[in-house]
Amino acid sequence: MKKIIALVLAVVLAASCMFVMASCGDSKNNSSSKKEEAKELHMATNAEFPPYEYMEKNKIVGIDPDIAQAICDKLGYKLVIDNMQFDAIIAAVTSGKADFGMAGMTVTDERKEAVDFTDTYATTTQVIIVRDKDSKVASADDLEGSAIGVQLGTTGDIFASDVKDAKIQRFSKGADAVEALSTGKIDAVIIDSEPAKEFVKAKEGLKILDDPFAEEEYAICLKKGSDLTAEFNKALKELKKDGSLEKIVNKYIGD
Ligand code: ARG
């Protein structure tokens, strides 16, 4: 009898020890991960859009990554950038795969139906790039019936789609559209003004038409109803007020 009692006690003791160890281990893990690592925020972008986001060596750099980093620093998050196709960004945000999208993204009514936008942080225009010498397109009116290159899913794509009888070629990168223009495969490219300047600078024989096409504003997109939107707006406001935002833009756009 004594032996049985001793055995039962030993088993109970062993079991409770294991339980205590397991729960101790758990709580230790929890508290240490909370203390040491800030919560990660994933930013969905498309690094084919200089100077807003582009690859330098193996790193994604540009105005948007810098602003996002400044926001995350202010709010105490760790920034992780996920590169993807431009037309995949909104789906990444709505599905929760990414916490926010930032990609020189224009605020449009259609996008507003899918995501929330922060306050805007840049104003820009859509422009038309053509070949310097043999261009039959001298203004937006001449686009009718021409072959227009755009980056898939961008506002340039939407504008081109409204041009009468246009033959639209949709590229996954703006730079590829510009390449097709330069080799005579298409007549014009519609794209945002800052990347247009970069692309034209990098390639001989191209120019940007004088009259801009449309005015647009960039903002960060988040999942509908996200609490982060208010946090982001607060951080953005501070970055605008203390001159940090302007400093970041000036670092990349030497105007
Ligand atoms: N502003 C345009 C739009 O929202 C083009 C943005 C393209 N951005 C990029 N990272 N590729 O449609």
Side-chain angles (χ1 to χ4, degrees):
M1 190 60 184
K2 264 191 196 155
K3 264 189 200 158
I4 292 175
I5 290 174
L7 195 70
V8 168
L9 275 178
V11 168
V12 167
L13 203 67
S16 55
C17 268
M18 272 156 67
F19 177 72
V20 167
M21 276 161 68
S23 51
C24 274
D26 259 346
S27 66
K28 214 166 126 203
N29 278 342
N30 276 341
S31 61
S32 71
S33 62
K34 247 182 224 148
K35 252 181 228 144
E36 281 159 22
E37 280 164 42
K39 185 180 182 297
E40 282 183 354
L41 285 191
H42 283 255
M43 158 175 156
T45 196
N46 170 251
E48 300 291 347
F49 200 68
Y52 282 90
E53 45 268 326
Y54 56 101
M55 300 301 299
E56 202 171 77
K57 299 202 173 95
N58 283 322
K59 208 170 168 246
I60 300 171
V61 297
I63 295 173
D64 288 342
D66 279 10
I67 296 175
Q69 188 61 60
I71 291 174
C72 286
D73 286 348
K74 261 193 190 299
L75 301 175
Y77 294 110
K78 180 170 185 281
L79 175 66
V80 182
I81 303 180
D82 300 334
N83 198 12
M84 61 189 73
Q85 294 287 327
F86 181 75
D87 70 333
I89 294 173
I90 290 197
V93 171
T94 56
S95 71
K97 252 183 30 204
D99 299 288
F100 66 98
M102 190 170 190
M105 187 181 281
T106 303
V107 179
T108 69
D109 287 338
E110 200 193 331
R111 288 173 184 164
K112 271 200 217 159
E113 283 172 22
V115 287
D116 285 347
F117 280 100
T118 60
D119 298 334
T120 58
Y121 63 89
T123 304
T124 186
T125 54
Q126 291 292 311
V127 297
I128 302 168
I129 311 177
V130 296
R131 275 184 306 279
D132 227 346
K133 304 237 162 60
D134 64 333
S135 181
K136 55 177 192 180
V137 177
S139 75
D141 295 335
D142 303 333
L143 284 174
E144 199 177 310
S146 65
I148 307 173
V150 296
Q151 185 182 19
L152 176 69
T154 59
T155 44
D157 188 350
I158 298 169
F159 283 119
S161 307
D162 282 343
V163 174
K164 193 160 167 268
D165 299 327
K167 296 172 279 295
I168 304 166
Q169 287 193 36
R170 299 181 171 87
F171 297 84
S172 75
K173 305 173 182 184
D176 291 348
V178 172
E179 178 65 32
L181 171 66
S182 141
T183 54
K185 293 196 182 88
I186 53 177
D187 306 311
V189 170
I190 303 179
I191 197 161
D192 305 44
S193 62
E194 290 307 326
K197 285 184 205 160
E198 299 271 339
F199 291 144
V200 166
K201 207 165 52 184
K203 217 159 199 58
E204 293 271 294
L206 301 177
K207 67 175 179 199
I208 298 171
L209 294 184
D210 283 337
D211 40 307
F213 208 63
E215 212 168 85
E216 302 189 334
E217 291 193 300
Y218 293 164
I220 302 168
C221 70
L222 298 104
K223 198 178 187 141
K224 271 211 167 295
S226 169
D227 294 336
L228 270 181
T229 308
E231 286 188 56
F232 270 46
N233 277 336
K234 190 167 161 273
L236 260 180
K237 203 181 234 162
E238 287 170 20
L239 293 170
K240 282 180 191 168
K241 207 167 155 200
D242 72 7
S244 312
L245 199 106
E246 206 189 330
K247 223 186 201 161
I248 292 172
V249 172
N250 288 342
K251 178 174 152 195
Y252 292 93
I253 304 176
D255 281 340

